[in-house]
Amino acid sequence: MLSESSIRIIQSTVPVLQIHGTSITKRFYERLFERHPDLLNLFNQANQEQGSQQAALANAVYEAAKHIDRLDTILPVVRSVAHKHRSLGVLPEHYPLVGQNLIAAIKDVLGEAATDEILQAWTEAYGVIADTFIGVESEMYGAAKERHGGWQGYRAFAVARKVRESDVIASFYLAPRDGGDLPRFEPGQYLSLKAEIPGEAHTHIRQYSLSDAPGKAYYRISVKREDSAPGRPAGLVSNYLHEQIEEGSVVWISAPAGDFALDRADARPVVLLSGGVGITPLASMLNVLSESDPHRQVTFIHAARNGDSHALKEAVEELVRNHSNIAAFWCYSNPTDRDRASNAFHAEGYIDLSWLQSIVPDRNASYYYCGPLPFMRTVSRLLRKWEIPAADMHYEFFGPAARLSDAE
């Protein structure tokens, strides 16, 4: 437990963190990688280059400081991050290294304003927070290993099938090389794939949502090839998978993880909203609902640029034909002439509230959404405007967590 004096000191630094948080986390990662370059094998360097990881950590530190006297209120965030840590292979011995460099970064950025009293309070607070993470992650490591078919660390899988789903997305059907069983996962979860790419100095790990229902002899991931764009380099791992990994290739993955999961105990209608490759975890949810809950009303809404980039469309439409409780709607921002000629979509442009209200039959539902950050922010804004309770809004970030509204 933190002392009352340390709690007061930490809370007094909240305004400073709001201003200097990103500078502190940027300096933290510089120090960490300078002193422990082996940790580059754990971190997504693309997120580092784009600044999204620094921003996510700054927000996490800020929230921890703001709620330092009620850390239980941020336990859901702790569990979400702990899932990712377990998936990546973060271990207890990593936490002292992080702590030392975080405290040093605070001192580097704040200079004389970082008094010995402040640094001591933050050292004490970090110890409490680190112990919380280590405890939660220890339970997760044990659960992943002990469940039927489970394992710890990374396991070799062979690519049994590779299927092109759109002009930018391919599905990989992964079967364990050892022929063993696979643990069931919750629809919405992801796995970590460790890539050792020729010519690259470090291992690269990426998380990919499982895009099929559990209970199969394989895991399926559907990966978008990330091309370069202004301010964003081409996706190193996604291009490696698309261009160099074929049927028969071997990849290494960790056991499924993540807390973005379908609540199967909730009997109310479900609304699944996806944008781009964000369709992957929601496709898993839809497959499970079609197999195990055929009476639950499901509205599936997907936004894509056009039919050429729309992955898994035929599979979803087949479920619609075979299940009267499932309805699906497509919104294309830039439909092709072929899309228009075949009436392949239901709305043109971007999802708005009036269209959403016209196709969702029952507002009293659970809403799950995933996609690019602008899409996520739009959906969050629309649902809040519709006065959907926050408890009914469930979402997953592809990459470091970010703010969905100024109110967060």
Side-chain angles (χ1 to χ4, degrees), residues 196-245:
E196 296 182 356
I197 302 174
E200 287 293 315
H202 301 285
T203 295
H204 295 271
I205 302 174
R206 297 292 187 271
Q207 285 79 41
Y208 295 110
S209 294
L210 291 145
S211 61
D212 204 347
K216 317 282 190 194
Y218 59 83
Y219 286 154
R220 186 181 75 179
I221 58 174
S222 302
V223 180
K224 178 185 177 185
R225 185 186 66 246
E226 296 290 351
D227 296 323
S228 60
R232 187 192 70 203
L236 185 65
V237 177
S238 68
N239 278 272
Y240 168 71
L241 291 174
H242 274 257
E243 296 169 6
Q244 300 186 46
I245 297 299

Side-chain angles (χ1 to χ4, degrees), residues 149-183:
W151 73 94
Q152 188 167 339
Y154 287 84
R155 184 178 177 184
F157 281 68
V159 178
R161 291 175 60 203
K162 180 180 179 180
V163 178
R164 181 176 176 177
E165 304 286 5
S166 76
D167 59 357
V168 292
I169 295 175
S171 285
F172 298 82
Y173 291 74
L174 309 175
R177 287 193 73 193
D178 58 21
D181 293 335
L182 290 177

